[in-house]
Structures are given as C-alpha cells and as structure tokens.
Amino acid sequence: TGRFTDDEDARRTALFAYALGSPALVYGVLFMSHQLAAVCAGAAFVAAVPLVRDNPDRQRSRAAAVGFFAAAAVMMDYQSALASLWVGLYLVAFAPSRFRNVAFATAGAAPVVVLLGIYHQVCFGSPLRTGYHFSVDQVTRKGFMGTVGPSAESFFSTTFMPSNGLFVLAPWFLMAFVGAFTIFTDQQRRARVGKEAAVCLAIFATYLLFLSSLDPYMARGGWCVGPRYLVVSLPFAAWLACAGFSAAFARPWLRVVALASVVVGVVVYVSAVTTYPHWPERLANPLYELTFRLLRSDRSVHSIGHRVGLHGVAAAAPLFALVGATLAWLFSRRSQGGAKTAVAAFILGGAVVLSYSLFPSSGPYAEQAWNFVVGTWEP
C-alpha cells in the first residue's frame, strides 16, 4: 500500500474496507477457494514488484516465488489464470534480467503445475481435463466453460444489481477508479507507481469483462454475497483504492463520502457473515429480506459470544462493537474535524443502507426462502 500512497489514513482505510467490507470476509470465513486464490495472486504481485522497482537481495528466490504463487492461484481457482497472466506479463515487460526471472519463475511454478496435473489425472482421467467435464450443470458447457460473450444482464448482475452488484454492496470499490485516474494524470505518481497501477487496473477490468461475458446464470454465481468470481481481482482494486482514498481525503466533503462508502460495505458484509452468508440467488433484496430479518428474529452464527453464554444477536454484539469502535477510531484520526467527519460518515453511510430498503422485493419467493433458511437453521 505504501507504494500507492504515503497517506497512512488512506492506506489503513483501504485495508480495513477490504478486510471487513468486501467479499473477502465472506469467502475467507467460508474457506472458499476464491479467497485463497486471491491471496496467492496478490502474493505473486507483491513478490514481483521489488524485482521491477528495486534491486532486492535473493532475486532468484523472489522470481521463483512469483511463479509459485501465480501457479498456486490457478490451482486454487482456474479463473485466477487471468490475474496470474497479467502479473507474469508485468514481470516480463518491466523487470531487468527478464530471461533469468522467467527461468526461475517457471521453476517456481513447475511443482504446482505437476501437482495439479497429477490431481487431474487421478480425479478426471487426464492432466488436461477438469471437473467441468463431468458437471451435470449444462451451463458450464456453453461457450468456453460458461463464457459466451459480453451481455448487459451479466454486467448489471456483477456491478449494480441490488442483490449482487459489487458497487452496491461495497461502493468503496469505486475508489479504485478514482485512484487509477489520480495516478495516471499526475506525472510524479505515474513515475512512482504507474506500471503497478496499470497492472491492477488491467486485472480489475479484465475480471469485470470476464464476468460480464459469462452466461448470466454463471455470472450470478449461485447462493453468494456479492459476485464471487470477482474475488481474485479485489486485492488489486484495493491497492488502487489507496490512492483513491488519498485523493478524496484532500477535500472534507469527499472524505465524508468516501468513508461513508466504507460504512456501507462493512454493514453489509459483517451483517451477512454473522447471520447467513449464502444469499439465495432469486432474492431481490437479500440484505433486508434475509440478513436484517435474521437479526430482527434474534439469530446469529456461532461465535465467541456463544461460548461465553450469550445467544442470538447478543452473541454477535461484541464483534459489532469492535468493528464500530475501529471504524470510529479510523475515521477520526485526523485531529482537525476528525470527530465531525466520523459522525457525518456514519450518518451518510447509514442513510445509504436505509435507502436499500426501497429496492424491489421478491414477492412470495421471499417467504419461501425465509422458511427454508429458518427451517434448516443451526444453531
């Protein structure tokens, strides 16, 4: 984050927003492959940047780490090849001693590639055959593994659909585009981190295009909280958002708007992960028709609170208090007007979340989904 901005408040804000106000929270808690793939793809990029920008020690081992983590990302989630490809191109295009780096990156990737090939051979009968070959879901056989070409329906589902769109559930990700703009339009920032910003933007944009090109059923991704196939690209968007927050913090009213967007993401994802982090895909407004309704009915997932004898929402209250206190501390760090900024950000963010109650409802299906969830509820 320090490469994208020197503003420590902006860096902390982006880190906190990514950790607790994005799909990373849900898929990390659920042990889904998408988040582990994001960790691996992000680690490959972190290992590659010093090879381009610095003259680090142990260059061979760093190059091997780039290859290892890029390949591991693909082993965790095939679609991670999109991110790994961009990281590899970045290393080849900009790092000195590119032939040596490519050789050691290839050596680092080789064990993972061999292991994945053996896994495919044992499970599916060929190193080049995947589980999609045996899927009973025919949509995965449309086009190339469900990729059929760009469509407005898939794009809307990924970005602005009330029940699933990234920029609705976590609007702070729009700061990635602000960050990219501020870097590319400033000569000093371009010299400092322009190449890295270009890679991050390319990865984020590629994934948005990829999901927009999937069959709409595939793009939605089933019972999930937000577009899960975007998860691998989100660390790269968060790095860009560091610069975006820094630019927004230069003006008091923009600072409030930017921080309010973090409040929205944190409320959505912390509430979902402490209740039922599997939103039925046919729910039009799952935040209100399921998540907040579960909280009102005094239901929450297992937690430390349960271990000490608390029940229902009270068991999640310590987490909610900790998250709220951390947000308040984060928002009010600047001595001049910090408290007022924090209050304004909470009010604006709360108003946005409240306005989501106006989204269209699911009709009779909302009761059907509710009855299924509470009928299978545990604890």
Side-chain angles (χ1 to χ4, degrees), residues 32-45 65-85 87 108-109 112-113 116 207 232-233 236:
M32 290 284 282
S33 62
H34 308 304
Q35 186 54 31
L36 186 54
V39 170
C40 292
F45 187 57
V66 174
F68 175 83
F69 285 115
V74 179
M75 183 166 69
M76 297 302 114
D77 197 355
Y78 299 132
Q79 294 90 347
S80 301
L82 298 172
S84 295
L85 177 62
V87 173
V112 181
V113 173
L116 183 59
Y207 272 82
V232 176
S233 71
F236 301 90

Side-chain angles (χ1 to χ4, degrees), residues 252-275:
W253 68 272
L254 280 178
R255 181 181 176 89
V256 170
V257 171
L259 294 178
S261 70
V262 176
V263 171
V264 175
V266 170
V267 169
V268 168
Y269 280 97
V270 171
S271 298
V273 84
T274 52
T275 51

